[in-house]
Amino acid sequence: MKLIVTGGASGVGRALLSMLSAHEVWVLDRNRPEDLGSGHHYVPLDLADERAIEAALQALPGQIDGLANVAGIAQARQPEQVLAVNFFGMRRLSEALEPKLRGGAIVNVSSIAGRDWQAKLARLEPLLSSTSFEQDLRWCAEHREQFARDPYTLSKRLVTAYTLRSAQRALKAGFRINCISPGPIETPLYPTFESIMGKAQSDWTAAQTGRIATPEDIAEVLALLLTGPCSWLNGVDVPVDGGYCAGLDAGWIDFSASPVMRALAARKNKGG
């Protein structure tokens, strides 16, 4: 198979690359992987730069069998950059590559942070319906106060919503599109997530399933959706979190007992 993996230089992307040794893979990343491997190719790419995306597209093959959108960031000096990397650039690259897919798969990496996208759909709609980078960035400039504090969660809500919406287009065009939603992962990004969540909340979340995920835990599911025998799986968001979301939905994890919710309750009681 001819496959494309974004973010293949580190973390989950690197773990996925090691599982795709039997395939020819084009790795798109700002950094070159240390161990690229034979039969693999490196193409430099900054997903926040539309011109860089256009240049990278020229270096890719005429037909492909799959695309794994793994690249992502948690924070940036400019919050719109998080949206650009995690969603705007991902969408631009994916839609440019769709005509090259020969009955293959697109797999996007979202997050459990985006699991409530349906409740926020009205807020997501302007960006979901956008048709250009220019329009995306104009929205960001006009609505900065709506996402500047937490651009990551917004970006992942968009990824999940976009994936499920795109399933109709994929069905008609003859490919499949799905996403996975990991919980915390032991990658270079984890300290950033821990600082955002707070260590107490981070430790509590990990304790609910016994540990946080390894990059390999996540890459295994990505590899299955990308290359495995699941041709009729389309438009699905797969939580890859050791059962954390299942616990919240089924009630065997009590989120009200988490440090962040206890602190919120205490502030409410103190105020009234």
Side-chain angles (χ1 to χ4, degrees), residues 4-63:
I4 296 171
V5 175
T6 71
S10 63
V12 173
R14 184 173 181 177
L16 176 62
L17 187 62
S18 70
M19 297 177 186
L20 300 176
S21 58
H23 306 282
E24 189 174 9
V25 183
W26 280 257
V27 180
L28 278 56
D29 201 303
R30 293 183 64 181
N31 303 306
R32 183 183 180 89
E34 292 181 3
D35 303 312
L36 187 59
S38 60
H40 294 169
H41 315 270
Y42 169 64
V43 179
L45 174 63
D46 179 355
L47 280 166
D49 184 343
E50 187 174 18
R51 288 178 296 180
I53 295 172
E54 297 303 324
L57 287 168
Q58 300 306 310
L60 300 177
Q63 286 190 315

Side-chain angles (χ1 to χ4, degrees), residues 1-271:
M1 288 185 174
K2 293 184 176 182
L3 306 170
I4 296 171
V5 175
T6 71
S10 63
V12 173
R14 184 173 181 177
L16 176 62
L17 187 62
S18 70
M19 297 177 186
L20 300 176
S21 58
H23 306 282
E24 189 174 9
V25 183
W26 280 257
V27 180
L28 278 56
D29 201 303
R30 293 183 64 181
N31 303 306
R32 183 183 180 89
E34 292 181 3
D35 303 312
L36 187 59
S38 60
H40 294 169
H41 315 270
Y42 169 64
V43 179
L45 174 63
D46 179 355
L47 280 166
D49 184 343
E50 187 174 18
R51 288 178 296 180
I53 295 172
E54 297 303 324
L57 287 168
Q58 300 306 310
L60 300 177
Q63 286 190 315
I64 61 172
D65 299 288
L67 165 65
N69 286 307
V70 186
I73 58 175
Q75 281 185 331
R77 182 171 297 179
Q78 301 298 324
E80 57 267 24
Q81 187 175 6
V82 177
L83 293 175
V85 172
N86 293 359
F87 181 61
F88 304 154
M90 181 216 76
R91 175 174 58 185
R92 175 69 187 94
L93 179 69
S94 299
E95 293 183 356
L97 290 174
E98 284 179 12
K100 297 185 177 186
L101 277 169
R102 46 190 180 190
I106 294 177
V107 187
N108 301 322
V109 175
S110 187
S111 167
I112 60 172
R115 70 191 298 262
D116 64 345
W117 68 270
Q118 289 174 297
K120 309 294 184 180
L121 186 56
R123 297 182 182 180
L124 304 180
E125 193 63 53
L127 288 173
L128 289 172
S129 59
S130 172
T131 57
S132 70
F133 244 83
E134 181 182 359
Q135 189 175 345
D136 293 334
L137 295 177
R138 186 165 59 248
W139 183 93
C140 289
E142 294 172 354
H143 300 85
R144 190 181 180 91
E145 74 286 350
Q146 294 185 20
F147 69 91
R149 188 181 64 84
D150 184 11
Y152 179 80
T153 296
L154 174 58
S155 73
K156 293 306 182 178
R157 286 169 177 159
L158 287 163
V159 171
T160 304
Y162 172 78
T163 301
L164 273 59
R165 282 192 167 194
S166 299
Q168 182 183 26
R169 184 174 72 254
L171 185 64
K172 292 179 178 179
F175 67 93
R176 62 188 186 274
I177 183 168
N178 298 288
C179 64
I180 67 167
S181 288
I185 315 169
E186 189 62 66
T187 71
L189 287 179
Y190 183 67
T192 302
F193 288 117
E194 188 174 61
S195 68
I196 294 172
M197 296 174 63
K199 188 174 187 335
Q201 184 68 19
S202 178
D203 290 347
W204 180 89
T205 300
Q208 305 313 301
T209 52
R211 64 176 176 87
I212 64 174
T214 66
E216 290 73 20
D217 291 329
I218 311 305
E220 287 172 351
V221 183
L222 278 171
L224 172 65
L225 295 176
L226 189 64
T227 67
C230 47
S231 61
W232 202 233
L233 189 65
N234 183 41
V236 176
D237 173 33
V238 182
V240 189
D241 58 6
Y244 179 79
C245 285
L248 294 177
D249 292 341
W252 51 267
I253 292 178
D254 180 10
F255 191 68
S256 67
S258 69
V260 67
M261 294 304 291
R262 291 203 307 269
L264 181 61
R267 284 198 298 270
K268 287 183 177 180
N269 290 336
K270 185 176 180 180

